[in-house]
Amino acid sequence: QDIRKTRKHQQRRILSSDELLYDPEEDSRDQEWVDSQRRGYRNQRRAPQQRQAKPAPVPSSDAVLNCPACMTTLCLDCQRHESYKTQYRAMFVMNCVVNKEEILKYRKKVKRRSKKMKHSKEISSIQSNQEEEEVYHPVLCTECSTEVAVMDKDEVFHFFNVLASHS
């Protein structure tokens, strides 16, 4: 009977964090780190302010973006594209490198003016044949060199090849 009691006691014993190889506080510390990173982005955009007693709220983000090949975190703060639901744009990224040597061009036709505005046929035909050319640079994951985004002339990153974890 003593042996049975000892076995039951050992089965019911609560294991420590070291024995579990798990730290229950780790999730909280990780969340604090992510929030501090995202607050830092906000402070880069604005003029330096005095320290506040209460930390500023974290700006809202549509997703956390990861590389599809190696799962490396690429972006913590982004906006989802209105019509293309698998695309995102962001200003602050991590683990990304921009290939400034390569230029990607995208041609888009200039929108025609409305019929209400009176222009000669010659001017409107010239405008309809013109095309705007947007210039982008490819963006690669630093860990595995997978192309995950492009960067435009305003240094906005447009992600298209990513894994998104929505909040």
Side-chain angles (χ1 to χ4, degrees):
Q1 268 187 331
D2 289 336
I3 294 172
R4 278 188 183 164
K5 285 183 181 179
T6 307
R7 285 183 184 169
K8 284 185 180 181
H9 178 69
Q10 286 177 347
Q11 289 174 351
R12 292 183 190 168
R13 188 172 71 88
I14 298 174
L15 299 174
S16 71
S17 295
D18 290 335
E19 292 171 321
L20 290 172
L21 302 176
Y22 170 73
D23 182 3
E25 299 300 316
E26 188 172 6
D27 288 340
S28 300
R29 287 193 303 269
D30 289 346
Q31 186 64 49
E32 287 174 18
W33 179 84
V34 169
D35 291 346
S36 70
Q37 294 294 310
R38 294 182 64 213
R39 279 191 195 97
Y41 301 151
R42 175 176 275 179
N43 293 339
Q44 286 178 0
R45 285 187 272 181
R46 295 183 181 174
Q49 298 174 352
Q50 293 179 347
R51 292 266 179 198
Q52 299 175 354
K54 194 163 74 172
V58 178
S60 64
S61 176
D62 289 337
V64 173
L65 305 179
N66 298 304
C67 175
C70 67
M71 308 286 191
T72 300
T73 302
L74 303 173
C75 180
L76 300 171
D77 197 9
C78 65
Q79 282 183 329
R80 193 176 199 176
H81 195 283
E82 287 179 11
S83 51
Y84 302 108
K85 299 298 183 188
T86 59
Q87 295 183 14
Y88 300 84
R89 69 178 180 182
M91 292 179 61
F92 304 104
V93 299
M94 58 181 61
N95 303 315
C96 291
V97 63
V98 179
N99 182 357
K100 298 259 183 172
E101 301 296 318
E102 189 175 345
I103 297 173
L104 306 172
K105 294 180 181 180
Y106 174 73
R107 290 184 183 167
K108 99 178 178 184
K109 290 191 176 185
V110 177
K111 293 180 182 177
R112 292 184 183 183
R113 299 195 177 216
S114 65
K115 291 182 181 179
K116 292 179 183 177
M117 298 182 77
K118 294 183 179 178
H119 289 288
S120 69
K121 290 181 182 179
E122 185 178 309
I123 292 174
S124 62
S125 67
I126 291 171
Q127 287 178 343
S128 66
N129 290 332
Q130 287 180 345
E131 293 181 340
E132 279 185 22
E133 199 170 74
E134 296 180 25
V135 176
Y136 297 97
H137 297 284
V139 178
L140 310 173
C141 172
T142 56
E143 300 301 312
C144 65
S145 300
T146 300
E147 188 171 335
V148 291
V150 292
M151 186 181 76
D152 65 16
K153 66 180 185 273
D154 298 323
E155 295 187 359
V156 174
F157 294 84
H158 300 272
F159 288 92
F160 55 87
N161 183 25
V162 290
L163 293 175
S165 55
H166 301 280
S167 52

